[in-house]
Amino acid sequence: MSAVTLEPDGGLGLEASARIRHRAAGRVDASVLAWCRWYTADLHDDVAAERRAEIASDLFEERECSGDRATGSILWRAIRGIPADLAWRGARLRRAAMGAPRGTFPLAMPALAHLAAIALVAWGSFIVWRVAGSVVVGDWRGAADVAELSVVGLLLALAGSWLLMVARRRAFAGLVLAIAAYLLIRFGTYALMETSVTLTAFFSTSTAQMVLLNRVAAGAAVLFFLSMAAWWATPAATRRAEDVAGPDGIAAPEDGE
């Protein structure tokens, strides 16, 4: 029998007796379960809970059979199984999409949001890296608040990207990413110019065009993430469809059918 229990916060843990008997179960098993929680975070609750219970049960059974010697095997299996985990996730998302209302784009819209968030984090990381390098070598001549706002923007972009993985926090994630986009494009561009002679020269010869481009890009990015936030803030029809379709996206029969 599996010794898996549901914790009050909805997460899954190994039975306390298993932790006592197998001291090595702590960090490795917790990491495996954390990875499972991450890649099931935005799936249907029933599907996610079943997968987490399956993984926790597998961990417990291997510990029971092999004891402390199971640590290396569990770690290697977890690393080797990452592609399979992601493939499993993709299959469940496609099943859920089959039962989603027409026009809701349950796969395309989240994918687009994730790609935009990754691009924003990459842009912010590049800016902060260039600013940090300029400060280290003593070439930084820009305003301190420009550099500080760029760092804040990167931190918000990272937080927003993480929140995108939590289905019930996606609308808030869109708002966070909208602020991050404004900071990283509006002020990050100016910070980047202070680290590049070429960009500074180009800006000085095309000031009006650069200012216009900067504001248009910042406005477009903010509008995109605000639109995503609004799209995720009103998913009532989608939630109703999921409840009718069930965790695998297959519509449940009506009473009397």
Side-chain angles (χ1 to χ4, degrees), residues 153-241:
L154 176 59
L155 294 176
L156 289 174
L158 290 169
S161 299
W162 177 77
L163 288 170
L164 278 179
M165 290 301 302
V166 183
R168 292 179 177 83
R169 297 289 183 269
R170 279 178 168 171
F172 180 62
L175 298 177
V176 172
L177 288 168
I179 299 172
Y182 178 78
L183 295 177
L184 287 175
I185 297 177
R186 182 78 169 85
F187 299 102
T189 302
Y190 295 134
L192 189 61
M193 285 190 297
E194 296 296 337
T195 68
S196 172
V197 176
T198 302
L199 283 176
T200 301
F202 181 72
F203 180 83
S204 62
T205 57
S206 309
T207 303
Q209 293 88 334
M210 284 294 294
V211 170
L212 178 62
L213 179 62
N214 176 275
R215 293 181 179 178
V216 169
V222 170
L223 181 61
F224 170 81
F225 286 114
L226 288 178
S227 299
M228 295 302 297
W231 185 72
W232 266 311
T234 55
T238 302
R239 282 201 299 268
R240 286 196 297 270

Side-chain angles (χ1 to χ4, degrees), residues 31-43 47 51-52 54-55 58 74-94:
S31 298
V32 174
L33 291 172
W35 162 249
C36 183
R37 285 194 296 270
W38 185 82
Y39 72 78
T40 60
D42 56 348
L43 299 179
V47 174
R51 180 67 169 185
R52 294 167 190 171
E54 177 186 348
I55 297 299
D58 184 59
I74 289 174
L75 185 59
W76 171 240
R77 285 178 56 199
I79 296 173
R80 187 181 57 188
I82 289 176
D85 291 336
L86 296 178
W88 176 91
R89 167 185 161 80
R92 294 309 180 279
L93 287 173
R94 287 190 294 273

Side-chain angles (χ1 to χ4, degrees), residues 119-138:
L120 187 63
V121 169
W123 170 251
S125 299
F126 177 70
I127 291 171
V128 171
W129 174 69
R130 288 297 301 265
V131 170
S134 181
V135 171
V136 169
V137 300

